[in-house]
Amino acid sequence: MNTLIVYYSRTKNTQNVAKNLKEKLHADIEEIIDTKNRSGVIGWISSCIDAIRKVPVKIKPIEKDPAIYDTVIIGTPVWASTMANPVLTYITENKEKFKDVAFFCTCRHGGYEETFANMKEIIAKKPLETLFLTELDMESFDDKLESYANKIKGN
């Protein structure tokens, strides 16, 4: 199975999950790079406002063409009960190129259901699998990640 993991991470939580998943699936990986500085408290506030507005933002050009992969796994933090705007931009620009997709998200407490529903609606495909990891899960997520990876391999 030819797999690409694409993710955006403001605080490195989603990045940590993506890199661990890469090892489990022997997948290619690409970080979505936002052109807007989202660091610190001001960046967090700006991110929440952008998420509520649900408007795509400018991202740096991607290097890996999702059309050449059997499965694209998309990772995002949850912002205001939806995906991060850089992920919104990525899936909006590339949705026609996806064969199969899977989603994962990192979140403080919740909001993942709406996040996954929004991603599914834009892509117009049911994901093979979904995984959410809360702030508490981030301390030890290997078992959950292993199960998620095995389910994706099984599809």
Side-chain angles (χ1 to χ4, degrees), residues 20-36:
N20 277 275
L21 189 58
K22 175 192 185 308
E23 298 304 316
K24 293 184 182 310
L25 293 173
H26 307 287
D28 290 340
I29 192 168
E30 180 157 27
E31 181 177 9
I32 301 167
I33 307 291
D34 191 353
T35 60
K36 185 175 184 177

Side-chain angles (χ1 to χ4, degrees), residues 1-137:
M1 177 173 68
N2 191 11
T3 304
L4 173 65
I5 300 167
V6 181
Y7 70 93
Y8 172 79
S9 188
R10 190 182 81 84
T11 64
K12 306 300 181 212
N13 283 336
T14 308
Q15 180 182 56
N16 186 20
V17 175
K19 287 184 174 182
N20 277 275
L21 189 58
K22 175 192 185 308
E23 298 304 316
K24 293 184 182 310
L25 293 173
H26 307 287
D28 290 340
I29 192 168
E30 180 157 27
E31 181 177 9
I32 301 167
I33 307 291
D34 191 353
T35 60
K36 185 175 184 177
N37 181 358
R38 296 189 183 274
S39 61
V41 174
I42 299 297
W44 178 80
I45 292 168
S46 172
S47 298
C48 289
I49 292 168
D50 287 348
I52 290 166
R53 292 181 180 160
K54 295 183 181 179
V55 291
V57 296
K58 187 170 174 47
I59 60 173
K60 290 188 178 179
I62 59 170
E63 295 178 7
K64 295 178 174 49
D65 181 3
I68 66 170
Y69 293 90
D70 299 319
T71 304
V72 177
I73 301 171
I74 304 167
T76 184
V78 174
W79 291 356
S81 294
T82 193
M83 72 199 92
N85 292 71
V87 174
L88 171 63
T89 301
Y90 177 84
I91 65 174
T92 300
E93 291 176 355
N94 294 286
K95 63 185 175 186
E96 302 300 324
K97 298 178 181 180
F98 302 143
K99 294 174 184 137
D100 282 322
V101 294
F103 306 145
F104 72 90
C105 71
T106 57
C107 54
R108 179 155 296 192
H109 302 292
Y112 57 89
E113 301 98 340
E114 188 174 342
T115 300
F116 293 149
N118 290 336
M119 294 168 78
K120 180 182 171 186
E121 181 180 344
I122 293 168
I123 296 172
K125 286 184 186 278
K126 181 180 179 190
L128 298 173
E129 292 295 330
T130 61
L131 170 70
F132 69 92
L133 297 167
T134 66
E135 194 170 61
L136 291 175
D137 293 325

